Amino acid sequence: MKTSNVSCFDLVTYLSEKRGLVDRYLDAYLPSEDRYPQQFSKALRYTLFSGGKRLRPILHLAAAEAVGGEIQSLIPFACALELIHTYSLIHDDLPPMDDDDYRRGQLTSHKVFGEALAVLAGDALLTEAFCLMSTKAVTNGLEPQIALKAIQEITEAVGASGMVAGQAVDILEEGHAAGAPVLEYIHNHKTGKFICASVTTGARLARASQQELESLFQYGRAFGLAFQIRDDILNVEGDPKKLGKSVGSDMARKKVTYPSIHGLDRSKKAMEDLVEEAIERLSSFDHQADPLREIARYIIDRID
Ligand code: GRG
């Protein structure tokens, strides 16, 4: 993690505090492991509590803070983002998709619980996310019209015009020597839109102005792409122990990635330029946007 540009803001403490907030809420929200059917309840919790950076919820809360909002009433929304993210990881690891045995250093859900329960755990986490956003979030005192707009934005980012479509193209294009336009489509849809919506919905729920939303959209767009490029780079030269999963799988499956099209050096440069752009997009924000600035800088050196 780069610290050269950090003044008094402590990113490590910030991330740990926000992670704690999210984890406590998720723990209370989900059925306990001893609730019938116990094997399913265990599967629901297994991947969710197997680590993970909680990046999307933290970006959501940090964006709310950047526009001067309070975050307590946004915690259900933030947690819903993590539920959606976890469902996508469980399904992505399944044999008909990436067929991965390890994630975050632990056996994947289907290796522990079997494919059927892993599919169902993912299905349930996705469904619960929308329950959280539509009920708990609104009863938390959020403006219903704004909450509804945020739910639409998240749906668009993760559904048939977003993450799922990106995943579909990723699978359909395996081994096809796809070019830059396909790569751009996959990165934008599979990763970028969800990360971007995590930022903009946090700000929207905190009553951001149109101008603030536009700047944060641009921040999220640049951040999301930089994050995915870093992911592609880690799949080439990351440390499997730190990543908690194998590397080299993209090349083995002949997947189109930033390094496969642009090479490693140009990929690193593109990522650094995008991080710089993301930070630049926050130029009209005061110190309350420091967490967003530091989270963007953190991408460049992230190792997991
Ligand atoms: C199955 C519908 C469906 C979608 C799957 C998100 C996704 C699409 C697949 C996961 C595989 C992958 C490498 C996606 C790129 C996005 C990405 C970098 C995910 C990992 O996110 P992190 O780093 O994960 O935030 P942690 O472990 O920290 O939660």
Side-chain angles (χ1 to χ4, degrees):
M1 186 181 311
K2 277 195 176 150
T3 51
S4 54
N5 291 318
V6 181
S7 48
C8 54
F9 176 72
D10 178 357
L11 181 63
V12 174
T13 304
Y14 182 87
L15 295 178
S16 153
E17 282 173 4
K18 290 291 183 289
R19 202 195 137 98
L21 279 178
V22 168
D23 284 358
R24 282 191 293 279
Y25 191 96
L26 285 171
D27 186 36
Y29 181 71
L30 282 188
S32 62
E33 287 199 350
D34 55 8
R35 192 174 98 176
Y36 182 82
Q38 287 88 348
Q39 192 70 349
F40 174 63
S41 299
K42 284 191 178 121
L44 276 182
R45 302 179 76 95
Y46 176 76
T47 309
L48 193 62
F49 295 112
S50 68
K53 298 180 284 297
R54 307 310 195 217
L55 178 71
R56 292 147 194 83
I58 293 173
L59 283 170
H60 183 80
L61 299 174
E65 288 178 338
V67 299
E70 63 84 31
I71 58 164
Q72 205 55 36
S73 57
L74 270 62
I75 293 175
F77 252 89
C79 290
L81 299 173
E82 191 63 20
L83 294 178
I84 297 170
H85 171 59
T86 307
Y87 123 79
S88 79
L89 299 181
I90 294 173
H91 283 195
D92 184 61
D93 289 333
L94 287 166
M97 301 229 196
D98 271 4
D99 193 11
D100 279 315
D101 291 353
Y102 287 92
R103 177 171 292 278
R104 301 166 175 164
Q106 294 194 38
L107 284 171
T108 44
S109 182
H110 64 274
K111 292 306 262 183
V112 177
F113 299 98
E115 288 176 34
L117 273 194
V119 170
L120 293 171
D123 291 343
L125 293 173
L126 175 63
T127 312
E128 289 299 328
F130 284 86
C131 178
L132 250 187
M133 290 189 284
S134 58
T135 57
K136 295 265 166 70
V138 173
T139 55
N140 256 15
L142 297 171
E143 177 65 43
Q145 285 303 323
I146 297 178
L148 197 56
K149 176 78 184 132
I151 293 170
Q152 286 167 350
E153 215 173 313
I154 291 164
T155 307
E156 144 87 19
V158 302
S161 309
M163 182 171 70
V164 177
Q167 177 79 347
V169 175
D170 195 18
I171 288 167
L172 291 167
E173 290 292 344
E174 257 183 43
H176 287 180
V182 170
L183 175 71
E184 191 187 324
Y185 183 96
I186 293 171
H187 280 9
N188 182 29
H189 287 74
K190 196 172 95 168
T191 319
K193 282 185 163 201
F194 187 22
I195 286 183
C196 192
S198 302
V199 174
T200 52
T201 53
R204 184 183 294 287
L205 291 167
R207 311 287 186 99
S209 68
Q210 206 46 47
Q211 203 179 344
E212 287 171 327
L213 280 176
E214 177 54 28
S215 300
L216 288 166
F217 172 83
Q218 296 299 345
Y219 165 90
R221 184 194 48 72
F223 179 106
L225 182 52
F227 186 82
Q228 180 59 61
I229 296 174
R230 180 68 185 146
D231 207 67
D232 287 356
I233 293 169
L234 285 171
N235 198 277
V236 177
E237 59 172 27
D239 177 346
K241 282 209 188 90
K242 288 177 181 142
L243 277 172
K245 59 183 181 184
S246 57
V247 298
S249 53
D250 289 343
M251 204 187 292
R253 290 197 187 100
K254 295 199 172 81
K255 281 201 181 209
V256 59
T257 66
Y258 233 80
S260 77
I261 289 201
H262 302 290
L264 266 181
D265 287 348
R266 283 176 61 196
S267 298
K268 286 177 188 170
K269 174 78 172 74
M271 171 187 70
E272 285 164 10
D273 288 349
L274 282 161
V275 166
E276 209 173 293
E277 182 194 336
I279 294 167
E280 179 58 32
R281 296 289 188 178
L282 301 175
S283 59
S284 58
F285 290 77
D286 65 11
H287 69 280
Q288 294 188 103
D290 281 351
L292 289 180
R293 294 185 180 97
E294 293 307 324
I295 295 168
R297 290 192 179 101
Y298 149 87
I299 293 179
I300 294 178
D301 298 323
R302 85 176 172 96
I303 53 169
D304 66 354

